[in-house]
Amino acid sequence: MEFEKIREIIAEQTGKDIEEITMETNVKDDLEADSLDLFQIINDIEDEFDVKIENVEDIKTVGDVVKLVEESK
């Protein structure tokens, strides 16, 4: 499932415990990810799923990332 792999990538990039990351987790507020962190997370996700995520500015939560990946497939 996309969520599990995305969660692993986010945990690796942010240093957060994987169990802390849910679909409702806010990328900037809860994970304290800045624009560089978000860029790296998106890069890793695009490589992993062989997709191109266009609307990065629309990403607020982990659920938004999952939705964008699913729509890009």
Side-chain angles (χ1 to χ4, degrees), residues 8-48:
E8 287 176 25
I9 291 168
I10 292 171
E12 183 179 314
Q13 285 298 324
T14 62
K16 298 289 183 184
D17 186 330
I18 197 164
E19 299 303 320
E20 292 179 46
I21 302 168
T22 68
M23 293 285 278
E24 293 79 31
T25 301
N26 184 291
V27 176
K28 290 181 180 159
D29 295 339
D30 299 332
L31 299 176
E32 300 166 358
D34 61 20
S35 56
L36 185 59
D37 293 328
L38 186 57
F39 175 78
Q40 188 60 51
I41 290 166
I42 296 303
N43 244 6
D44 291 352
I45 290 169
E46 287 176 337
D47 290 347
E48 177 68 31

